[in-house]
């Protein structure tokens, strides 16, 4: 599976601590079409503290990139990715 870094954002939590959020586009070549997904990783002081991925969201690269852009704009963390992906898939 190929991982393509799409966004990296610095956020500050409610305690004033800084974190980095990395948003990755995942690409897996299928028999006919590629399948795209998303991974979000959260780091604190260069240490991975949280990560979540969904390897198979859609065969539409542009749709998954649009979803990643929305996640980055909203500062979505790995913990909240799965419920938001359910909404994405239902739309």
């Amino acid at each position: 599976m190929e991982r393509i870094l799409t966004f990296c954002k610095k956020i500050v939590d409610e305690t004033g601590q800084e974190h980095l959020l990395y948003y990755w586009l995942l690409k897996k070549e299928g028999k006919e079409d590629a399948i795209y997904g998303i991974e979000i990783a959260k780091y604190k002081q260069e240490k991975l503290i949280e990560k979540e991925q969904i390897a198979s969201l859609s065969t539409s690269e542009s749709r998954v990139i649009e979803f990643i852009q929305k996640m980055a704009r909203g500062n979505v963390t790995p913990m909240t990715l799965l419920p938001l992906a359910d909404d994405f898939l239902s739309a």
Side-chain angles (χ1 to χ4, degrees):
M1 181 174 303
E2 183 179 357
R3 293 173 66 219
I4 303 159
L5 182 61
T6 308
F7 289 97
C8 177
K9 292 187 76 174
K10 184 185 291 185
I11 62 167
V12 178
D13 69 14
E14 61 279 351
T15 65
Q17 296 183 22
E18 290 186 354
H19 300 275
L20 288 175
L21 293 172
Y22 291 89
Y23 298 87
W24 299 85
L25 173 67
L26 305 177
K27 180 180 179 183
K28 181 178 179 184
E29 293 295 335
K31 291 181 181 179
E32 295 179 19
D33 292 326
I35 299 171
Y36 298 92
I38 180 175
E39 178 180 305
I40 302 175
K42 183 177 178 182
Y43 287 81
K44 179 180 174 184
Q45 298 175 351
E46 299 183 20
K47 181 179 179 184
L48 177 65
I49 58 172
E50 195 179 338
K51 180 172 98 168
E52 187 65 65
Q53 74 170 219
I54 302 170
S56 302
L57 270 178
S58 177
T59 55
S60 170
E61 180 179 16
S62 62
R63 189 165 180 234
V64 175
I65 289 173
E66 180 182 328
F67 178 62
I68 293 171
Q69 290 170 340
K70 288 179 183 178
M71 298 298 98
R73 279 195 303 269
N75 296 332
V76 171
T77 64
M79 185 184 305
T80 55
L81 174 60
L82 294 177
L84 292 171
D86 281 341
D87 292 343
F88 168 79
L89 292 171
S90 325

